Amino acid sequence: FERLSRNRWERYKRMIRRGYTNRWNFFCTYTYDSKKHTEETFRRSLMNTLYHLSSRRDWRYIGAWERGELGERLHFHALTYISEGQMPGEVEEHEDYSTKRHRREKSIQNSFFNARFGRSDFSKVDNAYEVGDSIKYISKNDEKVVYSRGLKTYFVSDILDEDILCKMGDEEHGFKYILAPNFTCMVDGEIMGTVSPKMIEKMP
């Protein structure tokens, strides 16, 4: 990253905490068609749609607005979790010409969002590296980051000594610990299981 301002750095740290504490399975981009929306109605309508998907279908997302390099068309990027059976519309493969890369490319789009807004792109997120890349992409400009309800920023767990790889800090400022990637989660001394996205959801 380039040198970040204090505010932007704090914002990025919040995104990182939430990014690695919650489950994700898609990186989504929503772009509007001028025949369907103005910028103002697109912003309002998309946010309203995502709000209802979050409250009614348990969608989770971290996202931000951005303008395209070509034509500066407004669009919205979101790291998203969609549980099984909660995707509206049909997910379809499309092949279009990319004006940015000057070649034909395949993409996965959603009929529900295409019909309402213009175009949608859904890319699978399969591992922590892709989560990190998605967060960096979302945070690359100064636009306000939008979070759905229900995202955890942290969780509370007792820690076994053998799960501590190393200790940082001092007594005056407090210690922080780097843990094994498969550390054991515990609540009030009770072993809950090995850390995983599903386990984190159960933790306080």
Side-chain angles (χ1 to χ4, degrees), residues 29 91-98 101 104-110 114 119-124:
T29 301
V91 177
E92 306 160 333
E93 185 177 278
H94 290 247
E95 185 172 339
D96 304 296
Y97 181 78
S98 170
R101 298 179 182 83
R104 296 192 69 80
E105 293 183 334
K106 291 183 179 180
S107 61
I108 303 300
Q109 301 182 30
N110 178 281
N114 284 7
R119 173 170 174 147
S120 60
D121 291 274
F122 284 64
S123 301
K124 288 287 290 181

mmCIF file with all atom_site columns, all heavy atoms in Angstrom, residues 29 91-98 101 104-110 114 119-124:
data_model
loop_
_atom_site.group_PDB
_atom_site.id
_atom_site.type_symbol
_atom_site.label_atom_id
_atom_site.label_alt_id
_atom_site.label_comp_id
_atom_site.label_asym_id
_atom_site.label_entity_id
_atom_site.label_seq_id
_atom_site.pdbx_PDB_ins_code
_atom_site.Cartn_x
_atom_site.Cartn_y
_atom_site.Cartn_z
_atom_site.occupancy
_atom_site.B_iso_or_equiv
_atom_site.pdbx_formal_charge
_atom_site.auth_seq_id
_atom_site.auth_comp_id
_atom_site.auth_asym_id
_atom_site.auth_atom_id
_atom_site.pdbx_PDB_model_num
ATOM 1   N N   . THR A 1 29  ? -19.788 -7.054  -8.394  1.00 0.00 ? 29  THR A N   1
ATOM 2   C CA  . THR A 1 29  ? -19.755 -5.696  -8.938  1.00 0.00 ? 29  THR A CA  1
ATOM 3   C C   . THR A 1 29  ? -21.092 -5.418  -9.602  1.00 0.00 ? 29  THR A C   1
ATOM 4   O O   . THR A 1 29  ? -21.575 -6.224  -10.402 1.00 0.00 ? 29  THR A O   1
ATOM 5   C CB  . THR A 1 29  ? -18.622 -5.533  -9.971  1.00 0.00 ? 29  THR A CB  1
ATOM 6   O OG1 . THR A 1 29  ? -17.370 -5.817  -9.345  1.00 0.00 ? 29  THR A OG1 1
ATOM 7   C CG2 . THR A 1 29  ? -18.595 -4.107  -10.521 1.00 0.00 ? 29  THR A CG2 1
ATOM 8   N N   . VAL A 1 91  ? -28.080 -17.432 -11.906 1.00 0.00 ? 91  VAL A N   1
ATOM 9   C CA  . VAL A 1 91  ? -26.674 -17.114 -12.157 1.00 0.00 ? 91  VAL A CA  1
ATOM 10  C C   . VAL A 1 91  ? -26.311 -17.703 -13.511 1.00 0.00 ? 91  VAL A C   1
ATOM 11  O O   . VAL A 1 91  ? -26.460 -18.902 -13.738 1.00 0.00 ? 91  VAL A O   1
ATOM 12  C CB  . VAL A 1 91  ? -25.770 -17.676 -11.048 1.00 0.00 ? 91  VAL A CB  1
ATOM 13  C CG1 . VAL A 1 91  ? -24.307 -17.403 -11.369 1.00 0.00 ? 91  VAL A CG1 1
ATOM 14  C CG2 . VAL A 1 91  ? -26.134 -17.068 -9.706  1.00 0.00 ? 91  VAL A CG2 1
ATOM 15  N N   . GLU A 1 92  ? -25.827 -16.837 -14.424 1.00 0.00 ? 92  GLU A N   1
ATOM 16  C CA  . GLU A 1 92  ? -25.609 -17.248 -15.810 1.00 0.00 ? 92  GLU A CA  1
ATOM 17  C C   . GLU A 1 92  ? -24.218 -16.825 -16.281 1.00 0.00 ? 92  GLU A C   1
ATOM 18  O O   . GLU A 1 92  ? -23.698 -15.801 -15.853 1.00 0.00 ? 92  GLU A O   1
ATOM 19  C CB  . GLU A 1 92  ? -26.664 -16.582 -16.717 1.00 0.00 ? 92  GLU A CB  1
ATOM 20  C CG  . GLU A 1 92  ? -28.101 -16.828 -16.261 1.00 0.00 ? 92  GLU A CG  1
ATOM 21  C CD  . GLU A 1 92  ? -29.085 -15.815 -16.841 1.00 0.00 ? 92  GLU A CD  1
ATOM 22  O OE1 . GLU A 1 92  ? -28.665 -14.673 -17.149 1.00 0.00 ? 92  GLU A OE1 1
ATOM 23  O OE2 . GLU A 1 92  ? -30.268 -16.170 -16.969 1.00 0.00 ? 92  GLU A OE2 1
ATOM 24  N N   . GLU A 1 93  ? -23.653 -17.627 -17.178 1.00 0.00 ? 93  GLU A N   1
ATOM 25  C CA  . GLU A 1 93  ? -22.364 -17.270 -17.779 1.00 0.00 ? 93  GLU A CA  1
ATOM 26  C C   . GLU A 1 93  ? -22.594 -16.427 -19.027 1.00 0.00 ? 93  GLU A C   1
ATOM 27  O O   . GLU A 1 93  ? -23.414 -16.777 -19.873 1.00 0.00 ? 93  GLU A O   1
ATOM 28  C CB  . GLU A 1 93  ? -21.567 -18.519 -18.139 1.00 0.00 ? 93  GLU A CB  1
ATOM 29  C CG  . GLU A 1 93  ? -20.162 -18.202 -18.659 1.00 0.00 ? 93  GLU A CG  1
ATOM 30  C CD  . GLU A 1 93  ? -19.349 -19.448 -18.956 1.00 0.00 ? 93  GLU A CD  1
ATOM 31  O OE1 . GLU A 1 93  ? -18.778 -20.018 -17.995 1.00 0.00 ? 93  GLU A OE1 1
ATOM 32  O OE2 . GLU A 1 93  ? -19.304 -19.860 -20.139 1.00 0.00 ? 93  GLU A OE2 1
ATOM 33  N N   . HIS A 1 94  ? -21.889 -15.307 -19.131 1.00 0.00 ? 94  HIS A N   1
ATOM 34  C CA  . HIS A 1 94  ? -21.986 -14.412 -20.281 1.00 0.00 ? 94  HIS A CA  1
ATOM 35  C C   . HIS A 1 94  ? -20.604 -14.249 -20.910 1.00 0.00 ? 94  HIS A C   1
ATOM 36  O O   . HIS A 1 94  ? -19.583 -14.408 -20.241 1.00 0.00 ? 94  HIS A O   1
ATOM 37  C CB  . HIS A 1 94  ? -22.501 -13.029 -19.862 1.00 0.00 ? 94  HIS A CB  1
ATOM 38  C CG  . HIS A 1 94  ? -23.934 -13.009 -19.452 1.00 0.00 ? 94  HIS A CG  1
ATOM 39  N ND1 . HIS A 1 94  ? -24.916 -12.369 -20.172 1.00 0.00 ? 94  HIS A ND1 1
ATOM 40  C CD2 . HIS A 1 94  ? -24.566 -13.551 -18.380 1.00 0.00 ? 94  HIS A CD2 1
ATOM 41  C CE1 . HIS A 1 94  ? -26.074 -12.508 -19.577 1.00 0.00 ? 94  HIS A CE1 1
ATOM 42  N NE2 . HIS A 1 94  ? -25.889 -13.229 -18.478 1.00 0.00 ? 94  HIS A NE2 1
ATOM 43  N N   . GLU A 1 95  ? -20.599 -13.917 -22.186 1.00 0.00 ? 95  GLU A N   1
ATOM 44  C CA  . GLU A 1 95  ? -19.349 -13.577 -22.863 1.00 0.00 ? 95  GLU A CA  1
ATOM 45  C C   . GLU A 1 95  ? -19.523 -12.211 -23.512 1.00 0.00 ? 95  GLU A C   1
ATOM 46  O O   . GLU A 1 95  ? -20.399 -12.022 -24.350 1.00 0.00 ? 95  GLU A O   1
ATOM 47  C CB  . GLU A 1 95  ? -18.970 -14.617 -23.921 1.00 0.00 ? 95  GLU A CB  1
ATOM 48  C CG  . GLU A 1 95  ? -17.611 -14.336 -24.550 1.00 0.00 ? 95  GLU A CG  1
ATOM 49  C CD  . GLU A 1 95  ? -17.147 -15.457 -25.460 1.00 0.00 ? 95  GLU A CD  1
ATOM 50  O OE1 . GLU A 1 95  ? -17.644 -16.587 -25.299 1.00 0.00 ? 95  GLU A OE1 1
ATOM 51  O OE2 . GLU A 1 95  ? -16.306 -15.196 -26.345 1.00 0.00 ? 95  GLU A OE2 1
ATOM 52  N N   . ASP A 1 96  ? -18.717 -11.239 -23.092 1.00 0.00 ? 96  ASP A N   1
ATOM 53  C CA  . ASP A 1 96  ? -18.824 -9.864  -23.571 1.00 0.00 ? 96  ASP A CA  1
ATOM 54  C C   . ASP A 1 96  ? -17.455 -9.357  -24.012 1.00 0.00 ? 96  ASP A C   1
ATOM 55  O O   . ASP A 1 96  ? -16.416 -9.910  -23.635 1.00 0.00 ? 96  ASP A O   1
ATOM 56  C CB  . ASP A 1 96  ? -19.363 -8.939  -22.471 1.00 0.00 ? 96  ASP A CB  1
ATOM 57  C CG  . ASP A 1 96  ? -20.693 -9.417  -21.922 1.00 0.00 ? 96  ASP A CG  1
ATOM 58  O OD1 . ASP A 1 96  ? -21.657 -9.447  -22.692 1.00 0.00 ? 96  ASP A OD1 1
ATOM 59  O OD2 . ASP A 1 96  ? -20.746 -9.754  -20.724 1.00 0.00 ? 96  ASP A OD2 1
ATOM 60  N N   . TYR A 1 97  ? -17.492 -8.258  -24.743 1.00 0.00 ? 97  TYR A N   1
ATOM 61  C CA  . TYR A 1 97  ? -16.243 -7.606  -25.142 1.00 0.00 ? 97  TYR A CA  1
ATOM 62  C C   . TYR A 1 97  ? -15.849 -6.597  -24.071 1.00 0.00 ? 97  TYR A C   1
ATOM 63  O O   . TYR A 1 97  ? -16.636 -5.735  -23.680 1.00 0.00 ? 97  TYR A O   1
ATOM 64  C CB  . TYR A 1 97  ? -16.398 -6.889  -26.483 1.00 0.00 ? 97  TYR A CB  1
ATOM 65  C CG  . TYR A 1 97  ? -15.119 -6.228  -26.953 1.00 0.00 ? 97  TYR A CG  1
ATOM 66  C CD1 . TYR A 1 97  ? -14.102 -6.986  -27.538 1.00 0.00 ? 97  TYR A CD1 1
ATOM 67  C CD2 . TYR A 1 97  ? -14.925 -4.852  -26.801 1.00 0.00 ? 97  TYR A CD2 1
ATOM 68  C CE1 . TYR A 1 97  ? -12.922 -6.389  -27.955 1.00 0.00 ? 97  TYR A CE1 1
ATOM 69  C CE2 . TYR A 1 97  ? -13.753 -4.248  -27.220 1.00 0.00 ? 97  TYR A CE2 1
ATOM 70  C CZ  . TYR A 1 97  ? -12.751 -5.026  -27.801 1.00 0.00 ? 97  TYR A CZ  1
ATOM 71  O OH  . TYR A 1 97  ? -11.581 -4.425  -28.200 1.00 0.00 ? 97  TYR A OH  1
ATOM 72  N N   . SER A 1 98  ? -14.608 -6.712  -23.561 1.00 0.00 ? 98  SER A N   1
ATOM 73  C CA  . SER A 1 98  ? -14.104 -5.795  -22.540 1.00 0.00 ? 98  SER A CA  1
ATOM 74  C C   . SER A 1 98  ? -13.437 -4.600  -23.223 1.00 0.00 ? 98  SER A C   1
ATOM 75  O O   . SER A 1 98  ? -12.411 -4.762  -23.902 1.00 0.00 ? 98  SER A O   1
ATOM 76  C CB  . SER A 1 98  ? -13.091 -6.506  -21.637 1.00 0.00 ? 98  SER A CB  1
ATOM 77  O OG  . SER A 1 98  ? -12.438 -5.577  -20.795 1.00 0.00 ? 98  SER A OG  1
ATOM 78  N N   . ARG A 1 101 ? -9.903  -4.160  -21.562 1.00 0.00 ? 101 ARG A N   1
ATOM 79  C CA  . ARG A 1 101 ? -8.821  -5.079  -21.928 1.00 0.00 ? 101 ARG A CA  1
ATOM 80  C C   . ARG A 1 101 ? -8.780  -5.382  -23.423 1.00 0.00 ? 101 ARG A C   1
ATOM 81  O O   . ARG A 1 101 ? -7.905  -6.087  -23.889 1.00 0.00 ? 101 ARG A O   1
ATOM 82  C CB  . ARG A 1 101 ? -8.959  -6.377  -21.129 1.00 0.00 ? 101 ARG A CB  1
ATOM 83  C CG  . ARG A 1 101 ? -8.837  -6.153  -19.625 1.00 0.00 ? 101 ARG A CG  1
ATOM 84  C CD  . ARG A 1 101 ? -9.005  -7.455  -18.858 1.00 0.00 ? 101 ARG A CD  1
ATOM 85  N NE  . ARG A 1 101 ? -8.934  -7.252  -17.421 1.00 0.00 ? 101 ARG A NE  1
ATOM 86  C CZ  . ARG A 1 101 ? -9.943  -6.858  -16.658 1.00 0.00 ? 101 ARG A CZ  1
ATOM 87  N NH1 . ARG A 1 101 ? -11.144 -6.647  -17.224 1.00 0.00 ? 101 ARG A NH1 1
ATOM 88  N NH2 . ARG A 1 101 ? -9.797  -6.673  -15.371 1.00 0.00 ? 101 ARG A NH2 1
ATOM 89  N N   . ARG A 1 104 ? -12.632 -10.322 -25.742 1.00 0.00 ? 104 ARG A N   1
ATOM 90  C CA  . ARG A 1 104 ? -13.851 -10.940 -25.234 1.00 0.00 ? 104 ARG A CA  1
ATOM 91  C C   . ARG A 1 104 ? -13.517 -11.713 -23.949 1.00 0.00 ? 104 ARG A C   1
ATOM 92  O O   . ARG A 1 104 ? -12.500 -12.394 -23.869 1.00 0.00 ? 104 ARG A O   1
ATOM 93  C CB  . ARG A 1 104 ? -14.465 -11.865 -26.278 1.00 0.00 ? 104 ARG A CB  1
ATOM 94  C CG  . ARG A 1 104 ? -14.932 -11.131 -27.530 1.00 0.00 ? 104 ARG A CG  1
ATOM 95  C CD  . ARG A 1 104 ? -15.792 -12.025 -28.421 1.00 0.00 ? 104 ARG A CD  1
ATOM 96  N NE  . ARG A 1 104 ? -17.083 -12.306 -27.809 1.00 0.00 ? 104 ARG A NE  1
ATOM 97  C CZ  . ARG A 1 104 ? -18.129 -11.474 -27.815 1.00 0.00 ? 104 ARG A CZ  1
ATOM 98  N NH1 . ARG A 1 104 ? -18.021 -10.286 -28.398 1.00 0.00 ? 104 ARG A NH1 1
ATOM 99  N NH2 . ARG A 1 104 ? -19.275 -11.829 -27.247 1.00 0.00 ? 104 ARG A NH2 1
ATOM 100 N N   . GLU A 1 105 ? -14.408 -11.592 -22.963 1.00 0.00 ? 105 GLU A N   1
ATOM 101 C CA  . GLU A 1 105 ? -14.182 -12.255 -21.687 1.00 0.00 ? 105 GLU A CA  1
ATOM 102 C C   . GLU A 1 105 ? -15.476 -12.886 -21.184 1.00 0.00 ? 105 GLU A C   1
ATOM 103 O O   . GLU A 1 105 ? -16.567 -12.360 -21.428 1.00 0.00 ? 105 GLU A O   1
ATOM 104 C CB  . GLU A 1 105 ? -13.677 -11.258 -20.639 1.00 0.00 ? 105 GLU A CB  1
ATOM 105 C CG  . GLU A 1 105 ? -12.296 -10.718 -20.938 1.00 0.00 ? 105 GLU A CG  1
ATOM 106 C CD  . GLU A 1 105 ? -11.812 -9.786  -19.837 1.00 0.00 ? 105 GLU A CD  1
ATOM 107 O OE1 . GLU A 1 105 ? -12.651 -9.181  -19.130 1.00 0.00 ? 105 GLU A OE1 1
ATOM 108 O OE2 . GLU A 1 105 ? -10.587 -9.662  -19.694 1.00 0.00 ? 105 GLU A OE2 1
ATOM 109 N N   . LYS A 1 106 ? -15.334 -13.986 -20.460 1.00 0.00 ? 106 LYS A N   1
ATOM 110 C CA  . LYS A 1 106 ? -16.482 -14.638 -19.854 1.00 0.00 ? 106 LYS A CA  1
ATOM 111 C C   . LYS A 1 106 ? -16.692 -14.071 -18.448 1.00 0.00 ? 106 LYS A C   1
ATOM 112 O O   . LYS A 1 106 ? -15.737 -13.723 -17.757 1.00 0.00 ? 106 LYS A O   1
ATOM 113 C CB  . LYS A 1 106 ? -16.272 -16.149 -19.795 1.00 0.00 ? 106 LYS A CB  1
ATOM 114 C CG  . LYS A 1 106 ? -16.290 -16.816 -21.161 1.00 0.00 ? 106 LYS A CG  1
ATOM 115 C CD  . LYS A 1 106 ? -16.147 -18.318 -21.043 1.00 0.00 ? 106 LYS A CD  1
ATOM 116 C CE  . LYS A 1 106 ? -16.191 -18.970 -22.419 1.00 0.00 ? 106 LYS A CE  1
ATOM 117 N NZ  . LYS A 1 106 ? -16.052 -20.450 -22.323 1.00 0.00 ? 106 LYS A NZ  1
ATOM 118 N N   . SER A 1 107 ? -17.939 -13.976 -18.043 1.00 0.00 ? 107 SER A N   1
ATOM 119 C CA  . SER A 1 107 ? -18.263 -13.493 -16.715 1.00 0.00 ? 107 SER A CA  1
ATOM 120 C C   . SER A 1 107 ? -19.498 -14.219 -16.201 1.00 0.00 ? 107 SER A C   1
ATOM 121 O O   . SER A 1 107 ? -20.287 -14.756 -16.982 1.00 0.00 ? 107 SER A O   1
ATOM 122 C CB  . SER A 1 107 ? -18.519 -11.981 -16.734 1.00 0.00 ? 107 SER A CB  1
ATOM 123 O OG  . SER A 1 107 ? -19.623 -11.683 -17.575 1.00 0.00 ? 107 SER A OG  1
ATOM 124 N N   . ILE A 1 108 ? -19.644 -14.243 -14.879 1.00 0.00 ? 108 ILE A N   1
ATOM 125 C CA  . ILE A 1 108 ? -20.820 -14.814 -14.236 1.00 0.00 ? 108 ILE A CA  1
ATOM 126 C C   . ILE A 1 108 ? -21.705 -13.659 -13.786 1.00 0.00 ? 108 ILE A C   1
ATOM 127 O O   . ILE A 1 108 ? -21.264 -12.794 -13.017 1.00 0.00 ? 108 ILE A O   1
ATOM 128 C CB  . ILE A 1 108 ? -20.439 -15.699 -13.035 1.00 0.00 ? 108 ILE A CB  1
ATOM 129 C CG1 . ILE A 1 108 ? -19.474 -16.814 -13.464 1.00 0.00 ? 108 ILE A CG1 1
ATOM 130 C CG2 . ILE A 1 108 ? -21.685 -16.280 -12.391 1.00 0.00 ? 108 ILE A CG2 1
ATOM 131 C CD1 . ILE A 1 108 ? -20.045 -17.747 -14.518 1.00 0.00 ? 108 ILE A CD1 1
ATOM 132 N N   . GLN A 1 109 ? -22.950 -13.628 -14.290 1.00 0.00 ? 109 GLN A N   1
ATOM 133 C CA  . GLN A 1 109 ? -23.860 -12.534 -13.987 1.00 0.00 ? 109 GLN A CA  1
ATOM 134 C C   . GLN A 1 109 ? -25.162 -13.082 -13.402 1.00 0.00 ? 109 GLN A C   1
ATOM 135 O O   . GLN A 1 109 ? -25.452 -14.274 -13.511 1.00 0.00 ? 109 GLN A O   1
ATOM 136 C CB  . GLN A 1 109 ? -24.137 -11.709 -15.244 1.00 0.00 ? 109 GLN A CB  1
ATOM 137 C CG  . GLN A 1 109 ? -22.867 -11.112 -15.860 1.00 0.00 ? 109 GLN A CG  1
ATOM 138 C CD  . GLN A 1 109 ? -23.140 -10.254 -17.077 1.00 0.00 ? 109 GLN A CD  1
ATOM 139 O OE1 . GLN A 1 109 ? -24.197 -9.634  -17.188 1.00 0.00 ? 109 GLN A OE1 1
ATOM 140 N NE2 . GLN A 1 109 ? -22.190 -10.218 -17.995 1.00 0.00 ? 109 GLN A NE2 1
ATOM 141 N N   . ASN A 1 110 ? -25.932 -12.190 -12.796 1.00 0.00 ? 110 ASN A N   1
ATOM 142 C CA  . ASN A 1 110 ? -27.164 -12.587 -12.129 1.00 0.00 ? 110 ASN A CA  1
ATOM 143 C C   . ASN A 1 110 ? -28.355 -11.901 -12.788 1.00 0.00 ? 110 ASN A C   1
ATOM 144 O O   . ASN A 1 110 ? -28.384 -10.676 -12.916 1.00 0.00 ? 110 ASN A O   1
ATOM 145 C CB  . ASN A 1 110 ? -27.086 -12.222 -10.643 1.00 0.00 ? 110 ASN A CB  1
ATOM 146 C CG  . ASN A 1 110 ? -28.346 -12.568 -9.886  1.00 0.00 ? 110 ASN A CG  1
ATOM 147 O OD1 . ASN A 1 110 ? -29.319 -11.838 -9.952  1.00 0.00 ? 110 ASN A OD1 1
ATOM 148 N ND2 . ASN A 1 110 ? -28.323 -13.686 -9.171  1.00 0.00 ? 110 ASN A ND2 1
ATOM 149 N N   . ASN A 1 114 ? -29.279 -7.885  -13.093 1.00 0.00 ? 114 ASN A N   1
ATOM 150 C CA  . ASN A 1 114 ? -29.209 -7.350  -14.461 1.00 0.00 ? 114 ASN A CA  1
ATOM 151 C C   . ASN A 1 114 ? -30.528 -6.699  -14.863 1.00 0.00 ? 114 ASN A C   1
ATOM 152 O O   . ASN A 1 114 ? -30.549 -5.624  -15.473 1.00 0.00 ? 114 ASN A O   1
ATOM 153 C CB  . ASN A 1 114 ? -28.859 -8.464  -15.442 1.00 0.00 ? 114 ASN A CB  1
ATOM 154 C CG  . ASN A 1 114 ? -27.388 -8.849  -15.391 1.00 0.00 ? 114 ASN A CG  1
ATOM 155 O OD1 . ASN A 1 114 ? -26.644 -8.377  -14.538 1.00 0.00 ? 114 ASN A OD1 1
ATOM 156 N ND2 . ASN A 1 114 ? -26.965 -9.709  -16.310 1.00 0.00 ? 114 ASN A ND2 1
ATOM 157 N N   . ARG A 1 119 ? -26.034 -4.382  -15.073 1.00 0.00 ? 119 ARG A N   1
ATOM 158 C CA  . ARG A 1 119 ? -25.081 -5.488  -15.158 1.00 0.00 ? 119 ARG A CA  1
ATOM 159 C C   . ARG A 1 119 ? -24.581 -5.839  -13.767 1.00 0.00 ? 119 ARG A C   1
ATOM 160 O O   . ARG A 1 119 ? -24.409 -4.981  -12.905 1.00 0.00 ? 119 ARG A O   1
ATOM 161 C CB  . ARG A 1 119 ? -23.896 -5.110  -16.045 1.00 0.00 ? 119 ARG A CB  1
ATOM 162 C CG  . ARG A 1 119 ? -22.808 -6.190  -16.015 1.00 0.00 ? 119 ARG A CG  1
ATOM 163 C CD  . ARG A 1 119 ? -21.741 -6.000  -17.031 1.00 0.00 ? 119 ARG A CD  1
ATOM 164 N NE  . ARG A 1 119 ? -20.690 -7.003  -16.827 1.00 0.00 ? 119 ARG A NE  1
ATOM 165 C CZ  . ARG A 1 119 ? -19.981 -7.536  -17.786 1.00 0.00 ? 119 ARG A CZ  1
ATOM 166 N NH1 . ARG A 1 119 ? -20.198 -7.174  -19.037 1.00 0.00 ? 119 ARG A NH1 1
ATOM 167 N NH2 . ARG A 1 119 ? -19.050 -8.421  -17.531 1.00 0.00 ? 119 ARG A NH2 1
ATOM 168 N N   . SER A 1 120 ? -24.347 -7.128  -13.588 1.00 0.00 ? 120 SER A N   1
ATOM 169 C CA  . SER A 1 120 ? -23.763 -7.618  -12.338 1.00 0.00 ? 120 SER A CA  1
ATOM 170 C C   . SER A 1 120 ? -22.672 -8.624  -12.683 1.00 0.00 ? 120 SER A C   1
ATOM 171 O O   . SER A 1 120 ? -22.757 -9.323  -13.687 1.00 0.00 ? 120 SER A O   1
ATOM 172 C CB  . SER A 1 120 ? -24.832 -8.286  -11.471 1.00 0.00 ? 120 SER A CB  1
ATOM 173 O OG  . SER A 1 120 ? -25.400 -9.393  -12.164 1.00 0.00 ? 120 SER A OG  1
ATOM 174 N N   . ASP A 1 121 ? -21.644 -8.679  -11.862 1.00 0.00 ? 121 ASP A N   1
ATOM 175 C CA  . ASP A 1 121 ? -20.568 -9.658  -12.026 1.00 0.00 ? 121 ASP A CA  1
ATOM 176 C C   . ASP A 1 121 ? -20.320 -10.337 -10.684 1.00 0.00 ? 121 ASP A C   1
ATOM 177 O O   . ASP A 1 121 ? -20.110 -9.660  -9.666  1.00 0.00 ? 121 ASP A O   1
ATOM 178 C CB  . ASP A 1 121 ? -19.285 -8.974  -12.513 1.00 0.00 ? 121 ASP A CB  1
ATOM 179 C CG  . ASP A 1 121 ? -19.408 -8.478  -13.939 1.00 0.00 ? 121 ASP A CG  1
ATOM 180 O OD1 . ASP A 1 121 ? -19.156 -9.270  -14.854 1.00 0.00 ? 121 ASP A OD1 1
ATOM 181 O OD2 . ASP A 1 121 ? -19.770 -7.301  -14.126 1.00 0.00 ? 121 ASP A OD2 1
ATOM 182 N N   . PHE A 1 122 ? -20.333 -11.661 -10.694 1.00 0.00 ? 122 PHE A N   1
ATOM 183 C CA  . PHE A 1 122 ? -20.136 -12.446 -9.472  1.00 0.00 ? 122 PHE A CA  1
ATOM 184 C C   . PHE A 1 122 ? -18.908 -13.337 -9.662  1.00 0.00 ? 122 PHE A C   1
ATOM 185 O O   . PHE A 1 122 ? -18.901 -14.210 -10.527 1.00 0.00 ? 122 PHE A O   1
ATOM 186 C CB  . PHE A 1 122 ? -21.357 -13.324 -9.185  1.00 0.00 ? 122 PHE A CB  1
ATOM 187 C CG  . PHE A 1 122 ? -22.531 -12.583 -8.618  1.00 0.00 ? 122 PHE A CG  1
ATOM 188 C CD1 . PHE A 1 122 ? -23.181 -11.598 -9.347  1.00 0.00 ? 122 PHE A CD1 1
ATOM 189 C CD2 . PHE A 1 122 ? -22.988 -12.863 -7.338  1.00 0.00 ? 122 PHE A CD2 1
ATOM 190 C CE1 . PHE A 1 122 ? -24.263 -10.909 -8.829  1.00 0.00 ? 122 PHE A CE1 1
ATOM 191 C CE2 . PHE A 1 122 ? -24.074 -12.179 -6.799  1.00 0.00 ? 122 PHE A CE2 1
ATOM 192 C CZ  . PHE A 1 122 ? -24.718 -11.200 -7.544  1.00 0.00 ? 122 PHE A CZ  1
ATOM 193 N N   . SER A 1 123 ? -17.871 -13.103 -8.845  1.00 0.00 ? 123 SER A N   1
ATOM 194 C CA  . SER A 1 123 ? -16.657 -13.932 -8.885  1.00 0.00 ? 123 SER A CA  1
ATOM 195 C C   . SER A 1 123 ? -16.552 -14.709 -7.585  1.00 0.00 ? 123 SER A C   1
ATOM 196 O O   . SER A 1 123 ? -16.721 -14.141 -6.501  1.00 0.00 ? 123 SER A O   1
ATOM 197 C CB  . SER A 1 123 ? -15.408 -13.056 -9.065  1.00 0.00 ? 123 SER A CB  1
ATOM 198 O OG  . SER A 1 123 ? -15.491 -12.305 -10.251 1.00 0.00 ? 123 SER A OG  1
ATOM 199 N N   . LYS A 1 124 ? -16.255 -15.997 -7.672  1.00 0.00 ? 124 LYS A N   1
ATOM 200 C CA  . LYS A 1 124 ? -16.141 -16.826 -6.485  1.00 0.00 ? 124 LYS A CA  1
ATOM 201 C C   . LYS A 1 124 ? -14.935 -16.410 -5.643  1.00 0.00 ? 124 LYS A C   1
ATOM 202 O O   . LYS A 1 124 ? -13.870 -16.086 -6.166  1.00 0.00 ? 124 LYS A O   1
ATOM 203 C CB  . LYS A 1 124 ? -16.001 -18.295 -6.867  1.00 0.00 ? 124 LYS A CB  1
ATOM 204 C CG  . LYS A 1 124 ? -17.278 -18.921 -7.400  1.00 0.00 ? 124 LYS A CG  1
ATOM 205 C CD  . LYS A 1 124 ? -18.303 -19.149 -6.303  1.00 0.00 ? 124 LYS A CD  1
ATOM 206 C CE  . LYS A 1 124 ? -17.897 -20.248 -5.354  1.00 0.00 ? 124 LYS A CE  1
ATOM 207 N NZ  . LYS A 1 124 ? -18.934 -20.476 -4.288  1.00 0.00 ? 124 LYS A NZ  1
#
